[in-house]
Amino acid sequence: MSTENSQTIFFKNAPRILAGYSVVGPKEGQGAFKDYYDKILDGDQLKEKSYERAERLIFEMVIENAIKKAGLKAGDINALLSGDLLNQITASGFCAAKFDIPFLGLFGACATFTEAMALGAVLIDGGYIKHAACASGSHFSSVERQYRFPLELGTQRPPTAQWTVTGAGCSILGAGGKGIKVTAATMGKVIDYGIKDVNNMGGAMAPAAMNTIEAHLRDTGNKPDDYDMIVTGDLGKFGSQMLRELMDNKGIKLGTNYHDCGAMIFTKGQKVLQGGSGAGCAPVVFNSFILEKMRREKLKKVLFIATGALLSTVSAQQGDSIPCIAHAILVEGE
Amino acid sequence: MSTENSQTIFFKNAPRILAGYSVVGPKEGQGAFKDYYDKILDGDQLKEKSYERAERLIFEMVIENAIKKAGLKAGDINALLSGDLLNQITASGFCAAKFDIPFLGLFGACATFTEAMALGAVLIDGGYIKHAACASGSHFSSVERQYRFPLELGTQRPPTAQWTVTGAGCSILGAGGKGIKVTAATMGKVIDYGIKDVNNMGGAMAPAAMNTIEAHLRDTGNKPDDYDMIVTGDLGKFGSQMLRELMDNKGIKLGTNYHDCGAMIFTKGQKVLQGGSGAGCAPVVFNSFILEKMRREKLKKVLFIATGALLSTVSAQQGDSIPCIAHAILVEGE
């Protein structure tokens, strides 16, 4: 039960993460978490005629395998909560047509994964359903041509740019039992600091991340040191540094336990400028590295905040700024 | 609590619809429900530089006024659940930046309104939040140029086409008290019968509507006659006739209590071919005519099923079929 102005929902029945599954493209497969992903693709088109169709297949792959890994069948899943960056979230919608599971389509840009986890946890915690599949993903080539330029143009990237992750992640949530649990979720507000540079998403999203982390700390009474790890989604190197400075100015010090999936996911020398981004960035890191470290009890309490930029090509072309959002989930070991 | 294969969620605490607000464009304002809308605009551009920006303003208008009509302030609303047809749901995202309310972005195409109502009702019924604003809308001119052709082309419409509604609707849900309540929600599955004609959305969506209505009747044990009204979102004349026939083949007879918002919203002579459509169609009818009839106790038990086509311009151009979805809410008088 939340208080009047709380943005944070507390889960009394602690929905469990029964399984997490991640699939990434070849470039991500050479990155920092190459030993943690469930599957690394050897190409990014999967013999499909378009990148968009390949992206759907990646979604199908993670959802199908996440369900299997949890020891369940599709018929056991009561709701699929999913979204992606494609116009009208077609990767998710078309993929959902392949499963005989009720579908709740979400859009929070790169913050979609934690929105799915928060709502999935609500449905389970409240006793409305037994199992939820929560997924999000992105594809470098489909996103690049939708939001920016056709790849064939070979457009040069400015230094603040990030590299959209090809990959998707899916967590299966279930009621009861033991294991890693979702204990709270903080729903983010849309924050717009007026940044219009579509090649500086990290900078645009950092204020939204700050807003949600602040709300979470206020609602829980916690301090940054109370977590083994605080992880943002895809602010990248520049954006996560900006978040540190913004929080510093508010008197909240993020310590060495603060990390960003986008800043971590690729290695030095992979030529990705500020790091990874995309709706696949947060879920593939969460469903591989983070869950594995939690399973091994190297991490016990993780605040995970996916971050999203709610722009479209049309809004950018019409000269609008970039409204951003961040949703947080609190994940704890047994 | 739902059974294993149930798609229907039952609300024990019966979240109340504290207020509903609807805004429509001039053409809709001359339609069948002209006496029921809260506000009829005298133009569709609202002095904005683009239709997309005008659409945002319409969203702001309905959300702000729905909150007022419920006797609340923005600070009383714990979650704004909203979505629209624009790429990356920018009408909702940009609008949400104007409110100091946590935002849950949704995409179910024209089924978004009932998805928002279902999830808003879950959040309230479970005691997680006190008040939710659930909104959806569309704008003829922004949708037309995004999904189909620039208006300036003056492209001729085929007979199965529908007319996208300019307008938005918002319901405020709250815990406890008296009045109209949401007693159940049926989450839809994505259904794809292989229809590829983007000018026959009603035909594409009818099977999804059937699937959800069937699930609802199965889960509740009800028959079509048990409702004062069964209302689909925007199947239009052709699509709603198709739904009748599809259900007939399944041995389920939809009686004279079955209606479709798209088929009803315009009057004869308005030249809209099969009727209205768009993510604004269902919410403006629900938040005007339907709620008013329920308030006056002309209707006591309404099954309301918004229907959505999950295609994008890119998926249509790549030759894909149109996956569709329908989410239902059961709304009852005191």
Side-chain angles (χ1 to χ4, degrees):
Chain A
M1 182 75 66
S2 57
T3 60
E4 196 64 41
N5 286 306
S6 172
Q7 290 171 238
T8 303
I9 284 169
F10 296 95
F11 301 116
K12 283 179 198 158
N13 305 316
R16 307 286 162 165
I17 300 175
L18 305 181
Y21 196 90
S22 57
V23 172
V24 296
K27 189 178 179 107
E28 293 72 20
Q30 292 165 3
F33 304 123
K34 60 180 183 202
D35 299 330
Y36 293 90
Y37 300 122
D38 292 281
K39 191 175 170 72
I40 298 170
L41 302 168
D42 53 13
D44 69 348
Q45 210 170 335
L46 305 172
K47 295 178 186 162
E48 288 292 321
K49 281 187 184 169
S50 72
Y51 295 121
E52 288 77 13
R53 290 191 181 184
E55 188 172 344
R56 283 179 214 165
L57 275 197
I58 296 175
F59 270 78
E60 280 181 51
M61 220 179 275
V62 287
I63 294 164
E64 195 179 322
N65 284 297
I67 295 170
K68 265 190 206 158
K69 200 169 164 185
L72 298 169
K73 297 183 302 285
D76 298 320
I77 308 294
N78 310 99
L80 166 60
L81 300 100
S82 176
D84 55 85
L85 296 176
L86 293 186
N87 296 341
Q88 287 74 49
I89 62 164
T90 47
S92 298
F94 277 81
C95 160
K98 305 281 180 185
F99 295 96
D100 190 28
I101 304 173
F103 172 63
L104 297 167
L106 308 176
F107 183 78
C110 309
T112 302
F113 178 64
T114 42
E115 183 182 345
M117 291 291 275
L119 286 170
V122 162
L123 283 163
I124 286 167
D125 187 69
Y128 299 104
I129 65 170
K130 277 196 169 173
H131 299 112
C134 306
S136 181
S138 50
H139 191 297
F140 173 80
S141 302
S142 64
V143 157
E144 204 59 25
R145 69 180 180 185
Q146 175 187 280
Y147 279 100
R148 283 170 284 260
F149 300 99
L151 289 174
E152 292 80 354
L153 267 180
T155 311
Q156 198 173 8
R157 294 154 173 277
T160 48
Q162 292 168 245
W163 190 274
T164 305
V165 163
T166 297
C170 177
S171 293
I172 306 297
L173 298 179
K178 290 202 167 187
I180 302 162
K181 56 197 173 188
V182 184
T183 54
T186 303
M187 300 179 288
K189 292 176 180 175
V190 179
I191 307 295
D192 189 342
Y193 270 33
I195 290 175
K196 292 189 178 187
D197 181 358
V198 295
N199 284 301
N200 184 7
M201 293 292 187
M205 294 189 292
M210 174 177 71
N211 192 276
T212 299
I213 296 172
E214 264 195 292
H216 182 86
L217 297 176
R218 182 194 68 215
D219 294 343
T220 57
N222 288 343
K223 293 187 204 84
D225 287 350
D226 293 334
Y227 305 90
D228 295 323
M229 208 169 173
I230 296 175
V231 197
T232 46
D234 59 343
L235 299 181
K237 289 169 203 160
F238 175 81
S240 55
Q241 184 52 37
M242 187 170 153
L243 174 65
R244 275 188 193 279
E245 291 176 21
L246 284 169
M247 306 260 331
D248 252 10
N249 290 342
K250 293 257 178 178
I252 302 169
K253 275 246 177 287
L254 291 176
T256 52
N257 60 342
Y258 167 61
H259 297 277
D260 178 75
C261 299
M264 288 191 290
I265 190 167
F266 292 110
T267 52
K268 268 191 185 176
Q270 281 199 295
K271 294 191 179 166
V272 292
L273 300 160
Q274 298 304 321
S277 67
C281 185
V284 303
V285 175
F286 182 83
N287 287 292
S288 62
F289 177 72
I290 305 275
L291 281 187
E292 187 54 28
K293 290 286 176 196
M294 294 193 77
R295 254 181 239 117
R296 294 193 200 160
E297 299 187 11
K298 303 284 184 197
L299 295 171
K300 281 212 149 185
K301 190 172 183 173
V302 174
L303 180 61
F304 192 82
I305 313 114
T307 45
L310 304 173
L311 82 166
S312 75
T313 313
V314 171
S315 74
Q317 285 169 350
Q318 290 183 356
D320 285 314
S321 56
I322 306 171
C324 294
I325 195 158
H327 298 292
I329 52 171
L330 178 57
V331 186
E332 298 187 63
E334 189 56 58
Chain B
M1 182 75 67
S2 58
T3 60
E4 195 65 41
N5 286 306
S6 171
Q7 290 171 235
T8 303
I9 284 169
F10 296 95
F11 301 117
K12 285 180 196 157
N13 305 316
R16 306 287 163 166
I17 299 175
L18 305 181
Y21 197 89
S22 57
V23 172
V24 297
K27 188 178 180 105
E28 292 72 20
Q30 291 165 4
F33 304 124
K34 61 182 181 196
D35 298 330
Y36 292 91
Y37 300 122
D38 291 282
K39 190 174 172 71
I40 297 170
L41 302 168
D42 53 15
D44 69 348
Q45 209 169 337
L46 305 172
K47 295 179 186 161
E48 288 292 320
K49 281 188 184 169
S50 71
Y51 295 120
E52 287 78 12
R53 289 191 182 183
E55 187 172 344
R56 282 178 215 166
L57 275 196
I58 296 174
F59 269 79
E60 279 180 52
M61 219 179 275
V62 287
I63 294 165
E64 196 178 322
N65 285 298
I67 295 171
K68 264 190 206 157
K69 199 169 165 185
L72 298 169
K73 297 185 303 284
D76 298 320
I77 308 295
N78 309 99
L80 167 59
L81 299 99
S82 177
D84 55 86
L85 295 176
L86 293 185
N87 297 341
Q88 288 72 51
I89 61 165
T90 48
S92 299
F94 277 81
C95 160
K98 305 281 180 185
F99 294 96
D100 191 28
I101 303 174
F103 173 63
L104 297 167
L106 307 177
F107 183 78
C110 309
T112 302
F113 178 65
T114 41
E115 183 182 345
M117 292 291 275
L119 286 170
V122 163
L123 283 163
I124 287 167
D125 187 70
Y128 300 104
I129 65 171
K130 277 197 169 174
H131 298 114
C134 306
S136 181
S138 51
H139 191 296
F140 173 80
S141 302
S142 65
V143 157
E144 205 59 24
R145 68 180 179 185
Q146 175 187 279
Y147 280 97
R148 283 169 283 261
F149 299 100
L151 289 174
E152 293 80 354
L153 268 181
T155 310
Q156 198 174 5
R157 294 156 174 275
T160 49
Q162 292 168 246
W163 190 273
T164 304
V165 164
T166 297
C170 177
S171 293
I172 306 296
L173 297 179
K178 289 201 170 190
I180 302 162
K181 56 198 173 187
V182 184
T183 53
T186 303
M187 301 179 286
K189 293 176 180 174
V190 179
I191 306 295
D192 189 342
Y193 270 31
I195 291 175
K196 292 188 178 187
D197 180 358
V198 296
N199 285 302
N200 183 6
M201 294 293 189
M205 294 189 294
M210 173 177 71
N211 191 276
T212 299
I213 296 171
E214 264 196 291
H216 182 86
L217 296 176
R218 182 193 68 215
D219 295 344
T220 57
N222 288 343
K223 293 186 206 83
D225 287 350
D226 293 335
Y227 305 91
D228 295 323
M229 208 169 172
I230 297 175
V231 197
T232 48
D234 58 346
L235 299 181
K237 288 170 205 159
F238 175 82
S240 54
Q241 184 52 35
M242 186 169 153
L243 174 65
R244 275 188 193 279
E245 291 176 21
L246 283 169
M247 306 251 344
D248 252 9
N249 290 341
K250 294 255 179 183
I252 302 170
K253 275 246 177 283
L254 291 176
T256 53
N257 61 342
Y258 167 61
H259 298 277
D260 178 76
C261 299
M264 289 190 291
I265 190 167
F266 293 109
T267 52
K268 269 189 186 178
Q270 281 199 294
K271 295 191 181 169
V272 292
L273 300 162
Q274 298 304 323
S277 66
C281 185
V284 304
V285 175
F286 183 83
N287 287 291
S288 62
F289 177 72
I290 305 275
L291 281 187
E292 188 55 28
K293 289 286 175 196
M294 293 194 77
R295 253 181 241 118
R296 295 193 200 159
E297 299 186 12
K298 304 283 183 198
L299 295 172
K300 281 212 148 184
K301 189 172 184 173
V302 175
L303 180 61
F304 191 82
I305 313 114
T307 44
L310 305 173
L311 82 169
S312 75
T313 312
V314 171
S315 74
Q317 285 169 350
Q318 290 183 356
D320 285 313
S321 56
I322 307 171
C324 294
I325 196 160
H327 299 293
I329 52 172
L330 178 57
V331 187
E332 298 187 63
E334 189 55 58

